[in-house]
Amino acid sequence: MTALLILSLPLTLALGAWLAASLDRLVPALWGLPAAGPLTPLREAAALLAQQTIRTERPDRLTLLLAPALYLTLAAVGLSVVPLWLGVAPIESPVGIVIWGSCEALTIITVFLHGWSPNAPFPLIGAYRYVAIALPVMLPSMFVLIAAALPAESLSVTAIVASQEPLWNVLRQPMGLPLFLLVGLTLTLRGPFDYADGADIAGGTSAEDSGAGRALWQFARLSMLVAFSAMAAAVFLGGPLGPWLPGPVWLWLKTAAVMALTVLLGHAVARTTPSRMLGLLWVVALPLSFLHLAIAGVLAL
């Protein structure tokens, strides 16, 4: 059973990445916003794979291959602790939240390696800029996830899902999901937190990407959106909990809803300057997340 659940992860990531790429075109169009492009996801991937790969002078070839592979691996590891049924996850761990937190932290290193590898100025600027923004985002994530774990009295994602049978965390802890969405935008390089690959620095860490390398990085980025959305659905929306339909169907529906919301926010919210964003994170987001944890702690007593 465990082997089948683990084997389902690549299929889930592949289908989820296709859905995420489709949402990048559909959601902005419904809201009258600029979409990702005229091509379908499969045609865009085929076009990138057929494109000639162009290398910069003396790139770091090891990190050039390691960065997208590690990004994709982190998405798979994060998704593996999310329960598909009540009490059943591909990898059941008593510290699933800690595993997810490790994936968040390692994503920062992965994006930095991606910017370091081409040996070019714009990718390196994007890498350093992303690290400066992403590090303070991880602190609200820690507080929000600990708050979600308090009612379950466990760091297991399966236990957190089970604790939401009487009431979902999105209702019990209403600030949790909005704060966690900041983390999702950061992990997937979207919208107001796309400081790594911003257009103002010619594409940042992806400025020198081409061909199969660019396709793999984009697939890994979409896979991380799938993993984040599944984790958000499990921690705040009850994951597989729901009437009539099987647990995996509920999880996929809720994951798709979080994905659509993340895509919409990524297109609709403008990016501000790095210095102003740092001020908002340290002065607004961090105190709010700590207040959220304090309220959750009092309610859990």
Side-chain angles (χ1 to χ4, degrees):
M1 181 63 175
T2 302
L4 289 175
L5 290 173
I6 293 175
L7 289 174
S8 71
L9 290 176
L11 180 61
T12 301
L13 288 176
L15 292 176
W18 173 83
L19 176 60
S22 300
L23 289 172
D24 268 328
R25 291 154 175 78
L26 177 62
V27 172
L30 293 176
W31 288 79
L33 299 169
L39 296 179
T40 64
L42 294 179
R43 287 183 179 178
E44 182 177 356
L48 286 175
L49 291 174
Q51 187 183 74
Q52 179 184 2
T53 299
I54 301 173
R55 292 279 185 263
T56 55
E57 184 179 357
R58 301 186 65 181
D60 188 329
R61 297 187 182 276
L62 177 60
T63 55
L64 196 67
L65 298 173
L66 183 62
L70 182 57
Y71 200 6
L72 184 57
T73 301
L74 291 173
V77 172
L79 183 62
S80 69
V81 297
V82 176
L84 299 178
W85 287 275
L86 187 60
V88 179
I91 298 179
E92 176 52 47
S93 171
V95 289
I97 289 298
V98 178
I99 292 175
W100 173 257
S102 301
C103 292
E104 290 181 352
L106 289 172
T107 297
I108 301 176
I109 299 175
T110 299
V111 176
F112 182 83
L113 290 178
H114 184 234
W116 176 274
S117 59
N119 188 31
F122 283 130
L124 190 59
I125 292 171
Y128 277 111
R129 195 166 71 165
Y130 178 79
V131 170
I133 295 296
L135 283 174
V137 174
M138 297 305 119
L139 294 175
S141 173
M142 177 183 65
F143 289 138
V144 165
L145 292 176
I146 292 174
L150 287 176
E153 299 181 1
S154 172
L155 295 175
S156 167
V157 182
T158 301
I160 292 174
V161 169
S163 71
Q164 297 177 74
E165 285 193 90
L167 187 66
W168 291 356
N169 278 338
V170 71
L171 300 175
R172 187 159 45 194
Q173 302 176 2
M175 283 196 297
L177 182 57
L179 288 169
F180 196 57
L181 286 172
L182 303 182
V183 182
L185 291 169
T186 304
L187 292 177
T188 58
L189 316 181
R190 288 181 175 272
F193 293 93
D194 184 15
Y195 290 96
D197 292 354
D200 57 331
I201 48 174
T205 66
S206 297
E208 304 294 342
D209 286 356
S210 59
R214 188 178 189 88
L216 180 58
W217 181 256
Q218 294 302 323
F219 176 70
R221 187 176 68 90
L222 294 171
S223 297
M224 181 57 75
L225 176 60
V226 177
F228 160 77
S229 301
M231 180 60 67
V235 172
F236 297 103
L237 302 177
L241 295 176
W244 305 308
L245 299 176
V249 176
W250 277 116
L251 176 63
W252 293 332
L253 290 174
K254 294 171 186 177
T255 299
V258 176
M259 288 171 60
L261 179 59
T262 306
V263 169
L264 176 61
L265 291 174
H267 284 276
V269 181
R271 185 177 66 243
T272 184
T273 61
S275 59
R276 185 172 298 174
M277 179 58 74
L278 282 172
L280 291 173
L281 289 173
W282 287 109
V283 178
V284 179
L286 185 58
L288 272 179
S289 62
F290 186 76
L291 175 63
H292 170 74
L293 176 60
I295 294 173
V298 171
L299 295 176
L301 292 176

